[in-house]
Amino acid sequence: MAPQADTSATDDAVDAPAPDPSQRERNAVPPGAKSRAPARTGWLAKLGPGLITGAADDDPSGIATYSQAGSSFGYDTAWTLLLTYPLMVGIQLTSARIGRVSGRGLTEAFLRLWPAWGVWLLVGSLVVANVINLGADLNAMGDAAALVTAGPKALHVIAFGLVSLALQIWLPYERYVRVLKWLTLSLLSYVAVAFAVHIDWLAAAKGALLPHLQWNKEFITMVVAILGTTISPYLFFWQAEQEVEEIKRVPEDQALRQAPSQAPAHLKRLKLDTWIGMGFSNVIAFFMILATATTLHAHGHTSIETTAQAAQALKPVAGEAAFVLFGMGIVGTGLLALPVLAGSAAYALSSMLGVRKGLDRPLDKAPAFYAILAAAMLIGLAIGLSGVSPMKALVYAAIINALASVPIMAGVMLAASSRKVMGDLVIARRLKILGWAATGVMLMAAIATLVTRWL
């Protein structure tokens, strides 16, 4: 059994749960599975779901939000990234623990606690928001590619969507994860952009450490947008499901509820992976704000609304190299975010329908799962080609996410505290504090979204 500090905050001793007879079957190699892998060795190999999830948070819609924050308000919103970091870790680590401990994703955990109709509402809102976000991200990627490499935008949008879908369907899971890990490096382009220009580090430090609040609709809306794009429901579902995939990928691994002797090592890995992944995400977002504050805001470009506008405005101010780095960073992080958006929707909906799921399975062994994945990607592709304003699409996605995030986050916290779901390995008190704090902040953000939108 795991050490007490890593298992339960209640200090109540209970009998270990009886082994689930179906667990061995779930952990067995699926017929025709794409790949199986030996256990991880070395700390770098231990990074996976948390790192990929954190990097995917800086998708093109996130880049648009952070660029808009930097160009509109300079360094004054940099403090939000310090606020969101521990909150992100709290809710993402809790989600990951549900997957690793129970051997099931969030949808299955919710179904053990809530009536099916309530879970359908949450999953439905997740799928709708994800598909809209897919369309907006593909639109932004097409704009960026057309700016940097020329060629028709529509062709780029179609290529990105189909390549991403093909990789998810036909690339073996182990190789697919490696591709996603390498794509996280594309985000370093925003660090390069920041260091390619002259940053007032004293002003940047003040912006990060001494919150400067402006009590007007525009500033409040921007802070809410940063919170909404940083703490997003699809990331919870994705990281939990990827921990389930990892259990199936490594022959020796089992769900911790059935193999408590594995808990100390895996819970330590989860912490490392999540703290580093979310830290990477927020550092990159911080540099996006710094880069656009130093260049665009300082030169009077304060009304940037899209990633393409940000890249275009950056060119005469920071030069050709910064322009190319910014534009290609949008493409790289988009290719990282597309499978997370489509995949999290497919996992959640497949769980509700009770069909076989998993990127570790070949197409013929999980046809319904891949059909849902393809449908999400193709509908997103249609939205990206439709001419709908990406900013309008992102606004609608943000509103849906803001409203859905609170009950989903509450469900995550309740599931992680339930012995029915977690057995003896319920989350510790400190993680409950972080997770519920994140839920409370998102509740305030949801209220602010409605107030600033309709009042």
Side-chain angles (χ1 to χ4, degrees):
M1 185 172 291
Q4 191 65 29
D6 284 327
T7 58
S8 172
T10 62
D11 296 327
D12 294 329
V14 298
D15 293 333
D20 182 351
S22 65
Q23 182 65 39
R24 187 177 302 276
E25 180 182 348
R26 286 196 300 271
N27 289 339
V29 181
K34 291 182 182 177
S35 66
R36 292 287 277 178
R40 309 168 192 81
T41 58
W43 74 271
L44 187 59
K46 297 178 187 297
L47 300 181
L51 176 64
I52 294 169
T53 301
D57 192 37
D58 294 324
D59 67 336
S61 63
I63 295 171
T65 300
Y66 301 130
S67 299
Q68 192 176 28
S71 63
S72 299
F73 300 101
Y75 302 120
D76 287 352
T77 57
W79 59 271
T80 58
L81 280 309
L82 292 181
L83 170 66
T84 58
Y85 180 36
L87 301 181
M88 282 181 72
V89 170
I91 195 67
Q92 290 297 150
L93 183 54
T94 302
S95 301
R97 285 183 63 137
I98 291 173
R100 174 56 65 169
V101 171
S102 70
R104 298 180 175 92
L106 294 188
T107 306
E108 290 94 339
F110 293 166
L111 285 170
R112 299 195 71 181
L113 301 175
W114 293 353
W117 64 266
V119 182
W120 268 112
L121 287 177
L122 296 182
V123 169
S125 64
L126 172 79
V127 171
V128 171
N130 282 16
V131 169
I132 294 174
N133 218 353
L134 276 168
D137 282 356
L138 283 166
N139 198 325
M141 293 165 68
D143 277 337
L147 282 174
V148 175
T149 66
K153 171 185 171 180
L155 183 60
H156 292 301
V157 170
I158 293 171
F160 291 141
L162 294 182
V163 166
S164 177
L165 180 60
L167 289 175
Q168 293 173 77
I169 294 176
W170 283 292
L171 193 66
Y173 177 73
E174 185 182 359
R175 295 181 188 174
Y176 175 68
V177 170
R178 290 177 184 174
V179 170
L180 294 183
K181 282 187 179 181
W182 280 108
L183 282 174
T184 63
L185 296 178
S186 66
L187 292 172
L188 295 178
S189 61
Y190 295 104
V191 179
V193 170
F195 280 103
V197 298
H198 175 69
I199 293 177
D200 184 343
W201 288 104
L202 179 60
K206 288 181 178 178
L209 301 175
L210 301 173
H212 177 73
L213 301 178
Q214 300 178 28
W215 299 108
N216 56 67
K217 179 179 178 180
E218 290 73 20
F219 187 82
I220 293 173
T221 299
M222 181 54 62
V223 170
V224 170
I226 292 173
L227 291 172
T229 198
T230 305
I231 304 175
S232 301
Y234 72 90
L235 300 174
F236 318 152
F237 284 84
W238 175 261
Q239 191 168 356
E241 289 287 359
Q242 290 311 289
E243 286 298 330
V244 178
E245 294 280 12
E246 288 292 291
I247 293 172
K248 294 185 288 185
R249 187 177 74 89
V250 181
E252 295 82 5
D253 286 358
Q254 297 182 55
L256 298 185
R257 183 172 179 178
Q258 276 67 48
S261 63
Q262 297 182 4
H266 280 297
L267 295 182
K268 183 178 180 180
R269 178 192 61 79
L270 284 181
K271 291 178 184 177
L272 176 71
D273 190 21
T274 304
W275 278 101
I276 290 178
M278 301 309 119
F280 181 67
S281 171
N282 279 36
V283 165
I284 298 300
F286 182 74
F287 276 103
M288 288 180 198
I289 291 178
L290 294 193
T292 51
T294 301
T295 55
L296 306 183
H297 181 79
H299 289 80
H301 298 284
T302 60
S303 59
I304 301 299
E305 294 187 352
T306 69
T307 51
Q309 288 180 14
Q312 285 177 315
L314 195 65
K315 188 174 182 178
V317 174
E320 182 74 22
F323 162 72
V324 172
L325 283 171
F326 195 95
M328 295 314 296
I330 294 169
V331 173
T333 190
L335 288 172
L336 176 64
L338 293 180
V340 177
L341 285 162
S344 58
Y347 276 114
L349 195 52
S350 295
S351 296
M352 290 303 301
L353 296 174
V355 298
R356 287 184 177 180
K357 60 179 180 176
L359 292 169
D360 65 314
R361 298 179 184 273
L363 178 61
D364 61 332
K365 300 300 181 182
F369 170 78
Y370 285 110
I372 296 170
L373 189 73
M377 186 65 73
L378 293 176
I379 295 172
L381 187 60
I383 293 174
L385 294 171
S386 67
V388 173
S389 166
M391 289 308 294
K392 286 184 178 179
L394 290 174
V395 166
Y396 290 128
I399 291 173
I400 295 172
N401 272 328
L403 296 177
S405 64
V406 177
I408 289 175
M409 291 170 75
V412 168
M413 296 310 301
L414 292 172
S417 302
S418 169
R419 295 186 184 276
K420 184 176 181 181
V421 175
M422 304 288 282
D424 286 347
L425 298 174
V426 296
I427 57 173
R429 183 175 291 109
R430 59 183 176 275
L431 195 51
K432 287 182 182 180
I433 292 172
L434 277 179
W436 282 113
T439 306
V441 168
M442 288 309 296
L443 174 60
M444 291 187 288
I447 294 172
T449 297
L450 296 176
V451 170
T452 56
R453 179 70 178 169
W454 284 294
L455 296 184

